[in-house]
Amino acid sequence: MSDARAPDTGRRIALVDVNCFYASAERAFDPSLEGRPLVVLSNNDGCAVTRSPEAKALGIPVGEPWFKIAPRAKEWGLVARSSNYELYGDISSRVMELLGRYSAWLEVYSIDEAFLGVKGTPDELLLLGQTIKGAVRRNIGVPVCVGIATTKTLAKLANKWAKNNPGLNGVCHWDAMPAQAREALMGRLSVIELWGVAGRLTKRLNGLGIHSILDLANADPVRIRDRFSVVLMRTVMELRGTPCIPMEEERVGRDQLIVSRSFSTPITTAADLRQVMSVYAQQASARLAKHGLQATVLTAFAGTSHYNPLDPSYPSVCVTLPMPTADPVLLTRASHALLPRIQEGIKYVRAGIMVTDLRPTGRQSPLPVFAKPHEERGIGTLLEDISRRYGRGSVGLGHAGIRGGPDWSMQRTMLSPRYTTNWDELPLVRAA
Amino acid sequence: MGIVIGPRVIDAGTSLLSVLISPVRVAAGYPSPAQDYFDGRIDLNEHLIKDITSTYVVRVSGDSMEGAGISDGDELIVNRALDPKDGSVVIAVLDGELTIKRLRITPSGVVLQADNPRYPDIRVPALSDLVIWGVATRCLHHV
């Protein structure tokens, strides 16, 4: 069980994530895809970014170009879908809000995963894990796995184990596993399987004789800090059961960017949150510009404190942007869609935005004179000045301007309907 | 709880039914706490949807539920959080398709019925043999 030296308060961290998220979101509205090999393709239908278990079983590697899969699709009975980010964004929002009902502390980690603060005996927490898993499957329609442990790193590991071990029925509590089984598992898995350990780091670790996760857990934390970084030392501590990875405030993933933060003083009004959202939107804009990316979907969310479990509130909203953009003005406006969902008077201690469906800016190939982002050129103040001088409406943002413009070049030939965000594309139910 | 849903989903509140009504008068001594928040318009989300996180809107294709007042092209509000009961109008997965039927749970078994005599009943041994996608709570019938 847990470390005998530390009094066990029963506090744990649960990592909940949706299995093969994009593929599962597609299946939620098209049951004919159930049980068939399914791949979801990247922008421009380039390569497979998500594979259903059946597609993985066919040996299709992640990132496999579609032109290599396509010739055998028919023979395999394989179905491909273009990325439907509006659908994924909305389903993600729903999942996060549902998870908020089970914990007063929720950290949205990515589009399809969140950390939850939970408390209880191993038996109680295994039951809670099953309850959460059942509720997300039933109420939203997608399958999740739950990993529970004392630290985020171990919760990630437990989650991975739950995914790869059907006997656990999707829920793994690290402390409920016999110590021997935990050690055996950590001894079997390479450090590269570990959360936050990249390929290059693995090579250097191997050079020091650290191959398995167990090797790293047994390494001297100080030595690891001196040879590598404080970040990796934290991983070692976490593997030993000491929580020390704080909430990350900014993350750029493969196809998403998150800016979120906790406030020192709670925010209780939509007016104040409006300012916060504006700041985040501008940060996200700057990060996108730095990476040469644009987004088409924005999710804004907020949450109450886990110290105040009386009025839990985890509003979340998903907005489709009018075009692929990194424009601070458009992102800010989109983030403000959260404000009507804010309950006045409730103490919000966290908020954030996530942008998805990232794609290179280059696709629009702007003229050099227009290439710089708005904020660097003081567009906001310029608009304000012109409006003051010539009246409201005399100037506005050109939604069809040269910088953005409709994304004609994007190929999404296998796109499913926007089932939950577009009135003309609702799921059809057969009355026959 | 906060509310989560894409802003373009079912925001019929302002465009579809912007009905202006007066605050309801209540007997002296029982002021409605809701009156403080009255903003003059009916919000359909609030009245038609109990659990917006678990609710989807679907569109009907076909005439097998005419008897229930559900016609081809109508929209249905479907709550996935509800337990299907005897008599519920459900969306069931049949042959890989979302299909609307009336659920009958009888001592002799479970039956999926159409509310139109032209379509035969479908019998299933037990409820667990069925995949119920959700329970319809409202029909937005086109009049």
Side-chain angles (χ1 to χ4, degrees):
Chain A
M1 301 310 287
S2 59
D3 192 340
R5 285 164 299 175
D8 195 340
T9 57
R11 280 186 193 283
R12 294 291 183 273
I13 294 169
L15 176 75
V16 183
D17 83 336
V18 183
N19 308 343
C20 312
F21 179 49
Y22 297 170
S24 297
E26 296 287 346
R27 283 177 169 172
F29 296 91
D30 185 353
S32 73
L33 299 174
E34 212 62 63
R36 300 180 67 173
L38 170 67
V39 293
V40 176
L41 304 175
S42 61
N43 281 333
N44 236 5
D45 294 344
C47 58
V49 287
T50 304
R51 302 155 298 152
S52 71
E54 299 80 5
K56 287 178 192 170
L58 288 171
I60 298 170
V62 70
E64 180 84 333
W66 172 235
F67 72 83
K68 282 193 180 173
I69 306 171
R72 301 192 62 187
K74 204 171 175 188
E75 161 199 346
W76 281 332
L78 178 141
V79 181
R81 288 276 184 267
S82 309
S83 293
N84 186 345
Y85 282 95
E86 276 192 57
L87 175 66
Y88 311 150
D90 181 53
I91 300 303
S92 169
S93 259
R94 288 169 185 257
V95 170
M96 297 308 168
E97 190 178 80
L98 190 63
L99 293 179
R101 296 181 191 177
Y102 293 93
S103 166
W105 177 79
L106 175 89
E107 180 183 331
V108 177
Y109 188 70
S110 73
I111 193 168
D112 60 359
E113 57 188 332
F115 290 108
L116 276 72
V118 292
K119 200 175 170 183
T121 64
D123 282 349
E124 288 166 348
L125 289 182
L126 282 171
L127 186 65
L128 177 70
Q130 289 297 342
T131 305
I132 290 174
K133 181 184 160 225
V136 179
R137 172 89 225 194
R138 171 194 159 127
N139 293 20
I140 317 290
V142 292
V144 299
C145 278
V146 185
I148 303 166
T150 45
T151 69
K152 287 182 178 177
T153 305
L154 289 175
K156 270 272 193 185
L157 203 53
N159 182 286
K160 187 171 257 189
W161 187 232
K163 272 206 171 59
N164 294 311
N165 195 332
L168 292 172
N169 198 18
V171 180
C172 171
H173 190 321
W174 191 246
D175 301 338
M177 283 169 70
Q180 265 182 317
R182 284 183 278 171
E183 285 217 347
L185 177 67
M186 288 165 76
R188 210 163 55 235
L189 291 176
S190 153
V191 279
I192 200 166
E193 304 279 336
L194 212 49
W195 180 41
V197 175
R200 263 186 66 213
L201 198 55
T202 306
K203 267 196 180 155
R204 285 178 60 203
L205 284 167
N206 290 352
L208 288 176
I210 296 171
H211 297 276
S212 70
I213 292 177
L214 189 63
D215 294 338
L216 187 64
N218 289 333
D220 176 12
V222 178
R223 184 163 166 251
I224 291 292
R225 185 195 61 196
D226 295 344
R227 291 272 187 132
F228 297 91
S229 65
V230 134
V231 176
L232 195 60
M233 182 186 79
R234 285 192 188 137
T235 301
V236 176
M237 301 301 289
E238 288 233 328
L239 284 173
R240 296 171 174 203
T242 308
C244 49
I245 295 185
M247 208 177 107
E248 285 177 54
E249 298 189 330
E250 216 173 85
R251 291 181 292 279
V252 187
R254 192 188 50 198
D255 52 6
Q256 60 203 298
L257 182 149
I258 296 186
V259 180
S260 83
R261 203 143 300 174
S262 302
F263 318 133
S264 47
T265 319
I267 282 181
T268 57
T269 67
D272 286 347
L273 200 68
R274 179 188 199 88
Q275 290 187 345
V276 172
M277 283 293 149
S278 304
V279 172
Y280 292 170
Q282 282 167 44
Q283 279 175 6
S285 159
R287 295 293 289 190
L288 286 173
K290 186 181 158 200
H291 293 273
L293 294 169
Q294 294 180 322
T296 67
V297 178
L298 180 145
T299 305
F301 53 90
T304 47
S305 164
H306 56 295
Y307 297 117
N308 173 24
L310 292 178
D311 295 309
S313 173
Y314 289 91
S316 173
V317 69
C318 169
V319 185
T320 309
L321 300 164
M323 58 186 177
T325 184
D327 183 337
V329 182
L330 287 181
L331 295 181
T332 301
R333 193 179 303 153
S335 72
H336 290 171
L338 182 70
L339 303 176
R341 325 277 189 196
I342 294 299
Q343 299 178 47
E344 295 279 331
I346 287 195
K347 293 180 176 172
Y348 292 93
V349 297
R350 282 189 352 88
I353 64 172
M354 170 166 67
V355 286
T356 56
D357 192 7
L358 307 185
R359 54 186 77 186
T361 307
R363 242 176 247 297
Q364 271 77 33
S365 53
L367 296 171
V369 67
F370 292 108
K372 283 191 172 178
H374 283 139
E375 83 271 36
E376 287 174 23
R377 304 165 60 219
I379 283 280
T381 43
L382 180 67
L383 290 179
E384 205 50 41
D385 287 344
I386 297 176
S387 297
R388 206 174 300 131
R389 198 149 155 197
Y390 296 106
R392 287 276 154 213
S394 56
V395 64
L397 290 166
H399 283 204
I402 292 174
R403 234 184 85 72
D407 195 9
W408 290 299
S409 61
M410 188 62 63
Q411 261 192 46
R412 285 184 175 180
T413 53
M414 290 163 281
L415 190 62
S416 53
R418 292 167 291 175
Y419 298 112
T420 63
T421 56
N422 192 301
W423 190 254
D424 297 323
E425 300 178 18
L426 296 176
L428 289 181
V429 297
R430 235 173 121 238
Chain B
M1 289 298 301
I3 290 171
V4 50
I5 201 152
R8 296 201 274 115
V9 188
I10 345 175
D11 263 341
T14 44
S15 56
L16 193 69
L17 210 94
S18 304
V19 184
L20 190 69
I21 57 155
S22 306
V24 182
R25 263 186 191 284
V26 285
Y30 293 95
S32 161
Q35 271 184 334
D36 290 347
Y37 302 101
F38 180 75
D39 70 355
R41 285 184 176 166
I42 287 173
D43 178 359
L44 285 183
N45 279 342
E46 182 191 328
H47 297 283
L48 302 187
I49 298 177
K50 285 274 177 290
D51 177 357
I52 205 158
T53 307
S54 313
T55 295
Y56 294 116
V57 181
V58 300
R59 186 164 287 126
V60 177
S61 166
D63 60 359
S64 74
M65 294 301 283
E66 287 281 1
I70 301 169
S71 304
D72 188 37
D74 286 353
E75 288 85 21
L76 293 173
I77 295 175
V78 178
N79 185 345
R80 291 188 54 122
L82 294 179
D83 279 323
K85 296 193 186 92
D86 177 43
S88 295
V89 172
V90 299
I91 311 299
V93 176
L94 293 176
D95 300 324
E97 275 189 289
L98 299 177
T99 310
I100 178 172
K101 293 281 178 188
R102 190 175 293 279
L103 180 71
R104 288 291 175 203
I105 303 171
T106 68
S108 58
V110 174
V111 187
L112 290 173
Q113 292 178 336
D115 272 11
N116 181 332
R118 292 197 291 116
Y119 297 90
D121 292 352
I122 296 171
R123 295 186 175 277
V124 231
L127 197 55
S128 54
D129 296 319
L130 269 179
V131 178
I132 302 285
W133 191 84
V135 175
T137 58
R138 297 275 183 168
C139 171
L140 308 180
H141 179 65
H142 294 239
V143 292

